[in-house]
Amino acid sequence: MVPVRVLLMVLVLNLLTSITATTNSNSTTTATTTSSSSHANAISYPDFQHLNIKETIAETKTKPTVTSQNHKPLETHDDDDDGNKKKSWKLQLVHRDGISKDNFQDHYRHRFLQRMKRDSRRVTSLIRRLSVGGESYKEEDFGSEVVSGMEQGSGEYFVRIGVGSPPRSQYVVIDSGSDIVWVQCQPCNQCYHQSDPVFDPADSASYSGVSCNSDVCGRLENGGCHAGRCRYEVQYGDGSYTKGTLAFETLTFGQTTIRNVAIGCGHINKGMFVGAAGLLGLGSGSMSFVGQLGGQAGGAFSYCLVSRGIGSSGSLEFGRAAMPVGAAWVPLIRNPQAPSFYYVGLAGLGVGGMQIPISEDVFKLTDMGKGGVVMDTGTAVTRFPTLAYEAFRDAFISQTSNLPRASGVSIFDTCYNLLGFVSVRVPTVSFYFSDGPILTLPARNFLIPVDDAGTFCFAFAPSPSSGPSIIGNIQQEGIQISFDGANGFVGFGPNVC
């Protein structure tokens, strides 16, 4: 069972399989969580890591294996303490780069710069919506710039599901900040290119339009009515949008069938939604896929975002059985102004095993719904308010004075020229959660390549002082993250991918 109190523990997550000194070609990156009360006396708590530079640069020049479109989700069953079966549905989670060869026609630096531009647009939109006190969050105002960034890869993660009866396999992008499930549909008055044939509801025996007086239609933030059928419209910050009919449909995960899921059937869609058929919203609202599963999943899901360039896949799993034993649990915080998002309490930041003197108030969610810390799968780079970011960055710079500096790149102002190095020693970077564990990130999650010529940057950026902090997917990569919405916790570890 998931604990109702935060566990005090030390977890060491081995995210790579090899370790060497500076002269070797391998290195160790680990994520560690420990209780704040025991940090001062934790002898095993690391204050530095080795990052394999040679291997990381080689990954920027390697084209990953394109994932087969025929892979099957895995259904698992676990016993609870009373011997009863708990069902979960597990899917393979792949990065956008793993489903299309077209993503590697451009050089790594060009793809990276495009990714950062789209990430900036997403964050600008998010901060604009979440920084206005007293104004309710609306799905149509923000949700999926992650989708609009798919063309070049802006931290996009895909799962493959079946839609309709018989099921038609479709790739959909996951988004923890969205409360709607939708796919493109025929007849397609205006559609973008996707890797699979567009879903045709006329070929599905289980498709059923939602009436205008349905309770489900009433839950839409921007619903409408046409010819007695419920209409939906989602407008994104960059001008992209999807419009169509709300319907009940069957979704399939391997051998598991989920009936009567309310989905948007998009007949008019615009934007750079390249590759995916649509979106699988994982937000905490009632219209998200997690919300609609209700008792079938117990408000629980878990994901492990595949690390960049290592040629493996991650996973997305729904259900109580997905909740791991041995995770470090942090309470979720609800923001009534943005109920779809998952907020956590953050007390501070650390570099080299030492907490930086930053007031905890910088990270607090106010009574008006401003500030706070959001965990978001759609944002790539973690943002902190400028005051906190600058103290954080300066502490990192002071402990890396032995490394040659490089000019800033895109949104990053702290970069290094590491060409010719095999590996480098860097200080640890840690998140101090309020009344909970300290999460120490793997080195590859905070010092990342921005080209294939040895330029690496500190992978954090500032946000306005009144805006929220955002923990992005680069910092989440390779770590199992579990959301227990029913009990109000998010867990880190113990598994890796």
Side-chain angles (χ1 to χ4, degrees):
M1 295 178 62
V2 175
V4 296
R5 297 177 63 85
V6 176
L7 299 179
L8 301 181
M9 62 183 71
V10 177
L11 302 173
V12 179
L13 310 177
N14 296 314
L15 298 183
L16 293 181
T17 59
S18 53
I19 177 171
T20 82
T22 304
T23 58
N24 201 311
S25 62
N26 297 319
S27 66
T28 291
T29 53
T30 60
T32 305
T33 57
T34 182
S35 69
S36 56
S37 61
S38 64
H39 172 247
N41 299 318
I43 298 175
S44 63
Y45 190 84
D47 59 6
F48 69 89
Q49 299 177 24
H50 284 91
L51 175 63
N52 189 313
I53 300 301
K54 184 177 180 181
E55 183 180 81
T56 305
I57 292 176
E59 290 171 354
T60 66
K61 302 177 181 180
T62 302
K63 296 181 181 181
T65 302
V66 177
T67 303
S68 169
Q69 293 190 359
N70 296 320
H71 69 265
K72 297 293 186 181
L74 174 66
E75 180 183 49
T76 61
H77 298 270
D78 289 330
D79 292 331
D80 62 18
D81 295 337
D82 298 322
N84 298 318
K85 291 288 184 181
K86 295 189 296 182
K87 182 179 290 187
S88 67
W89 302 274
K90 190 172 185 179
L91 299 91
Q92 184 180 3
L93 186 61
V94 295
H95 191 274
R96 201 267 180 189
D97 289 345
I99 68 169
S100 175
K101 295 179 181 179
D102 295 338
N103 295 320
F104 278 78
Q105 299 302 314
D106 298 316
H107 292 296
Y108 180 87
R109 182 180 176 87
H110 176 76
R111 299 196 311 272
F112 170 81
L113 292 175
Q114 292 301 312
R115 178 185 187 186
M116 291 301 101
K117 287 180 181 178
R118 281 181 278 270
D119 195 56
S120 294
R121 286 199 292 266
R122 177 183 176 94
V123 170
T124 298
S125 180
L126 188 154
I127 290 175
R128 183 176 66 248
R129 302 314 308 168
L130 301 186
S131 298
V132 182
E135 181 174 341
S136 297
Y137 161 84
K138 292 184 182 298
E139 172 72 27
E140 68 269 22
D141 295 322
F142 173 77
S144 299
E145 279 80 0
V146 63
V147 179
S148 66
M150 280 182 194
E151 185 177 29
Q152 297 295 338
S154 181
E156 312 81 10
Y157 291 89
F158 289 63
V159 291
R160 195 155 177 79
I161 65 174
V163 181
S165 303
R168 301 286 191 251
S169 293
Q170 307 272 284
Y171 277 115
V172 290
V173 68
I174 66 167
D175 190 348
S176 63
S178 181
D179 274 351
I180 191 167
V181 180
W182 64 268
V183 296
Q184 295 196 115
C185 289
Q186 299 284 9
C188 211
N189 299 326
Q190 177 181 303
C191 282
Y192 58 85
H193 173 73
Q194 64 178 62
S195 59
D196 297 296
V198 174
F199 174 70
D200 190 345
D203 295 333
S204 174
S206 52
Y207 179 91
S208 175
V210 173
S211 65
C212 296
N213 59 2
S214 167
D215 291 339
V216 173
C217 189
R219 297 207 301 267
L220 288 176
E221 292 285 353
N222 194 26
C225 187
H226 178 72
R229 293 300 181 186
C230 184
R231 305 281 293 179
Y232 81 96
E233 178 177 342
V234 182
Q235 180 76 40
Y236 301 111
D238 64 352
S240 301
Y241 56 79
T242 175
K243 303 177 183 179
T245 304
L246 193 68
F248 291 116
E249 187 53 286
T250 296
L251 302 184
T252 303
F253 304 85
Q255 300 302 312
T256 300
T257 298
I258 311 295
R259 297 179 175 84
N260 295 320
V261 179
I263 70 169
C265 201
H267 300 291
I268 302 175
N269 313 287
K270 179 183 178 181
M272 293 182 292
F273 302 89
V274 178
L279 182 141
L280 189 70
L282 302 179
S284 61
S286 62
M287 288 294 286
S288 77
F289 181 66
V290 179
Q292 292 192 61
L293 282 176
Q296 296 181 75
F301 69 98
S302 178
Y303 60 76
C304 203
L305 304 179
V306 61
S307 296
R308 291 156 286 119
I310 64 175
S312 64
S313 62
S315 63
L316 172 65
E317 187 171 5
F318 300 98
R320 304 284 333 155
M323 298 297 94
V325 175
W329 296 95
V330 176
L332 289 169
I333 300 173
R334 180 172 174 78
N335 181 1
Q337 302 301 326
S340 298
F341 289 91
Y342 297 98
Y343 284 78
V344 293
L346 190 66
L349 304 169
V351 175
M354 299 295 293
Q355 186 169 0
I356 301 168
I358 303 173
S359 171
E360 187 174 351
D361 292 342
V362 173
F363 305 108
K364 284 198 172 182
L365 180 67
T366 70
D367 292 339
M368 297 297 293
K370 294 183 179 181
V373 181
V374 176
M375 292 192 63
D376 185 31
T377 60
T379 298
V381 176
T382 292
R383 265 74 166 189
F384 294 120
T386 301
L387 180 67
Y389 167 75
E390 291 180 347
F392 186 39
R393 174 203 61 195
D394 292 347
F396 187 81
I397 291 174
S398 70
Q399 296 188 44
T400 54
S401 58
N402 61 314
L403 298 179
R405 292 292 298 274
S407 299
V409 178
S410 185
I411 64 173
F412 299 134
D413 60 15
T414 302
C415 301
Y416 301 85
N417 179 10
L418 302 181
L419 184 65
F421 286 82
V422 175
S423 67
V424 296
R425 172 172 158 158
V426 293
T428 56
V429 166
S430 306
F431 296 161
Y432 287 65
F433 291 105
S434 302
D435 299 320
I438 301 165
L439 176 67
T440 297
L441 299 175
R444 66 177 290 129
N445 286 23
F446 61 82
L447 195 60
I448 67 171
V450 299
D451 56 30
D452 58 6
T455 307
F456 284 70
C457 294
F458 188 53
F460 297 88
S463 63
S465 58
S466 62
S469 298
I470 309 166
I471 299 178
N473 58 50
I474 289 177
Q475 281 66 46
Q476 298 180 46
E477 284 178 354
I479 305 169
Q480 182 183 17
I481 296 176
S482 306
F483 288 90
D484 179 9
N487 292 306
F489 285 89
V490 59
F492 297 89
N495 299 321
V496 299
C497 62

